[in-house]
Amino acid sequence: MFFLHELERTITLHPSFFGPRTKEYLTNRLIDDVEGTCTGQYYVICVMDTIDFSEGRVVPGSSVAEYTAHYRAIVWRPFKGETVDAIVSSVNRMGVFADVGPLPVFVSNHLIPPDIKWDPNATPPQYTDNGDQVIEKGTHLRIKLIGTRSDVGAMFAIGSVKEDFLGSDTSTLYQVSTNNHLRTL
């Protein structure tokens, strides 16, 4: 789920960046350091704006200055029970690995419907029901997260496609033609 958080970060700045554009350097450094990172609890997606920078404080024994930045950011925290869209990154006989943005998710073969079987003779490797459902690398899946695990700078999840409305996206696809009419593919 996405949230708008007010966060705080300490930034060190070398004296060569002191001057009339110090705030611009601090903002750029904040965005470079924070966007796309994982705290172990959530992913920082985007820095919306900076609220305030503290006065610089020179670090004793060094020439750098420390600034405390208060900013607002959009963060994403995956929750147990949340339904997400993923792209399959690899398939093996143990299950499916998929990516939900920055979050790696594993779907065990026990959490795949029983009618979808592992086909070791297929190229590329896949799970299939010998019909319209095929799970292979690059397939878009709708997954329900059944558990998450957090490390210091990373998160991992276990998912399931065993419930209704989950699994590979076999819905009707539409394409906009040149005269702006929808066509069924």
Side-chain angles (χ1 to χ4, degrees), residues 11-22:
I11 302 170
T12 58
L13 197 62
H14 190 270
S16 63
F17 296 105
F18 296 166
R21 295 177 47 188
T22 300

Side-chain angles (χ1 to χ4, degrees), residues 107 111-113 135 141-144 159-163 166-167:
V107 179
L111 297 171
I112 296 174
I135 301 174
L141 287 179
R142 181 152 295 144
I143 298 172
K144 181 176 182 180
S160 172
V161 293
K162 211 170 185 174
E163 297 179 20
L166 300 178

Side-chain angles (χ1 to χ4, degrees), residues 29-49:
R29 178 83 181 271
L30 175 69
I31 290 170
D32 290 342
D33 289 351
V34 171
E35 281 187 358
T37 61
C38 178
T39 65
Q41 296 296 317
Y42 52 80
Y43 292 95
V44 178
I45 304 299
C46 176
V47 174
M48 293 300 292
D49 60 355

Side-chain angles (χ1 to χ4, degrees), residues 82-108:
E82 184 175 3
T83 301
V84 294
D85 291 329
I87 297 176
V88 175
S89 57
S90 68
V91 178
N92 62 36
R93 64 182 180 83
M94 299 301 293
V96 175
F97 289 92
D99 295 320
V100 180
L103 179 70
V105 179
F106 176 68
V107 179
S108 169

